[in-house]
Amino acid sequence: MTIKYDALTPKEADDLMTGLIGVIVCTELATARRMTPAEWAERDILEWSHSIASAIFDVVENRRKGAP
């Protein structure tokens, strides 16, 4: 089984991990910008931030463990 970090130097793998985190953040910012004031008011910000933090944690853990 190949992983996305195979054949990368440690710096390249870290850059990939940073890029993946950047994609998560940009996606969530784009979602927030599209929201109406009413949608924003109804958003559970604690659940949303936990979801983003969990996704970032998974990326970091996958990099640390060398997982895909």
Side-chain angles (χ1 to χ4, degrees):
M1 176 174 90
T2 62
I3 61 171
K4 64 179 90 179
Y5 302 107
D6 278 351
L8 298 179
T9 67
K11 179 175 181 342
E12 290 169 335
D14 287 346
D15 288 346
L16 175 59
M17 179 187 67
T18 301
L20 292 170
I21 291 169
V23 168
I24 292 167
V25 171
C26 288
T27 300
E28 294 304 322
L29 286 172
T31 299
R33 287 182 179 145
R34 286 191 305 271
M35 296 174 105
T36 65
E39 289 171 326
W40 182 257
E42 292 176 13
R43 188 70 169 199
D44 181 353
I45 196 69
L46 294 177
E47 184 277 326
W48 196 17
S49 63
H50 182 268
S51 174
I52 295 167
S54 294
I56 292 170
F57 175 81
D58 289 342
V59 169
V60 172
E61 281 298 294
N62 285 343
R63 165 67 178 104
R64 190 178 68 80
K65 294 177 181 176

